[in-house]
Amino acid sequence: MTLPLRTILIDDEALAISRLRRLLDKHQDTFAVIGDAANGAEGLTLITEQQPDVIFLDIEMPLLNGFEMLGRLTDVPMVVFATAYDQYAIRAFEENSVDYLLKPIEADRLARTAQKIRALVERNETASATNPMTENVMRLLAQMQPKKEIYSISVKTGEKIKLIPLSDIAYFEAEDKYVFLSTVDGQKFLTTYTITTLAEKLPDTFVRVSRSVLVNRLKIAEVHRHFDGKFLLALTDKKATKLTTGSTYSESIRQMLEL
């Protein structure tokens, strides 16, 4: 990653975007603004298309808020939050080495952000999806968000959005960079979520049994002991799917199934 960093601004307040652009003009050696979005849904599209190095992100926005948008990203760029959350939240984020700016953003505070990010780039410690900085922020976001009760997962089929009831889902599985859901009647759909996000979002009836698989425990018909302490799960779906658990998940599966 080289300077200046390709930068996207995401905020539903046009005045906030305009002010931030003016402030960032003083740091053109660090940031090159390549676009902006008015909500999380637009931001998700823009990030996917442009693959920026860093985003300045508001939290409270229509369609998708900042939390929800981050949860749908496969590759998370460096994130600088620019929002009006209280100072206790700011302190929590700063202690985890995540940049967090309180609105209205002050020029001197933004200058410290630029300095911090330049130092990260020079040390080659930018916040990629596997960097501890990103893991910390995602953990904090999960803690700060109230859990919503959900009943279905939306998937795109052609030009339509289809809602799949949770009761119809047998399991989710990650393949390369994509996550698919499989229904009890044998259908398979591409989702926009990561396995980690689904594990946090879904009710306790969905259990992570390996790094790449999340299964609906109500659809498990049989459990067979496998080698190396693993288990083989036989599901009740139309395809009679068999899933092998990960060795590091064996103890939690034993507790879940009282084995």
Side-chain angles (χ1 to χ4, degrees):
M1 189 177 295
T2 58
L3 297 170
L5 300 176
R6 291 163 48 82
T7 303
I8 285 177
L9 318 180
I10 306 171
D11 198 312
D12 64 327
E13 299 178 20
L15 289 177
I17 290 280
S18 178
R19 173 178 171 78
L20 184 52
R21 277 185 175 272
R22 289 198 304 272
L23 292 172
L24 290 173
D25 279 344
K26 299 177 182 178
H27 301 281
Q28 294 184 22
D29 57 340
T30 305
F31 304 107
V33 179
I34 59 173
D36 60 68
N39 54 61
E42 289 182 10
L44 186 64
T45 299
L46 193 58
I47 291 169
T48 303
E49 292 175 350
Q50 298 295 330
Q51 296 294 303
D53 302 311
V54 60
I55 58 175
F56 283 77
L57 179 65
D58 189 15
I59 292 177
E60 292 297 335
M61 296 182 293
L63 300 185
L64 286 178
N65 65 33
F67 297 149
E68 293 166 334
M69 191 206 74
L70 285 177
R72 296 194 182 193
L73 290 173
T74 302
D75 297 310
V76 181
M78 297 185 73
V79 180
V80 177
F81 290 98
T83 188
Y85 260 61
D86 63 69
Q87 295 186 16
Y88 296 103
I90 294 172
R91 186 178 307 164
F93 277 87
E94 288 180 339
E95 287 176 357
N96 283 273
S97 301
V98 177
D99 286 282
Y100 196 107
L101 304 177
L102 181 65
K103 292 179 179 177
I105 299 170
E106 300 294 336
D108 59 343
R109 181 63 182 86
L110 181 60
R112 293 201 298 273
T113 296
Q115 183 179 14
K116 181 177 184 179
I117 289 179
R118 287 183 66 87
L120 286 171
V121 172
E122 290 167 1
R123 295 198 305 266
N124 195 27
E125 295 178 6
T126 50
S128 66
T130 57
N131 189 279
M133 180 186 294
T134 300
E135 293 176 4
N136 285 344
V137 70
M138 296 308 287
R139 228 179 355 255
L140 280 166
L141 294 181
Q143 292 169 8
M144 291 175 67
Q145 291 186 88
K147 270 207 165 184
K148 297 178 182 178
E149 190 169 3
I150 62 171
Y151 302 94
S152 62
I153 294 291
S154 59
V155 295
K156 188 173 182 180
T157 57
E159 297 300 317
K160 298 180 181 179
I161 301 294
K162 186 178 179 68
L163 297 178
I164 310 295
L166 296 186
S167 59
D168 290 349
I169 300 173
Y171 64 97
F172 295 88
E173 185 170 21
E175 299 177 13
D176 296 324
K177 291 186 177 182
Y178 304 99
V179 174
F180 295 88
L181 72 79
S182 293
T183 63
V184 292
D185 61 1
Q187 296 184 82
K188 186 174 180 179
F189 299 95
L190 175 66
T191 78
T192 57
Y193 299 98
T194 65
I195 287 290
T196 300
T197 300
L198 286 167
E200 295 171 350
K201 182 182 183 71
L202 293 172
D204 293 341
T205 48
F206 286 84
V207 181
R208 193 160 184 177
V209 298
S210 72
R211 288 177 60 86
S212 60
V213 176
L214 190 68
V215 67
N216 185 344
R217 62 188 294 179
L218 301 180
K219 308 303 178 185
I220 300 175
E222 298 177 357
V223 181
H224 303 271
R225 293 189 182 278
H226 208 44
F227 61 89
D228 292 339
K230 299 178 182 179
F231 294 96
L232 190 66
L233 307 179
L235 305 189
T236 60
D237 60 329
K238 184 178 181 180
K239 295 182 178 180
T241 302
K242 290 183 172 57
L243 301 172
T244 304
T245 67
S247 55
T248 57
Y249 293 82
S250 297
E251 185 56 36
S252 61
I253 293 170
R254 285 193 189 95
Q255 293 177 8
M256 174 189 74
L257 300 175
E258 300 181 356
L259 299 175

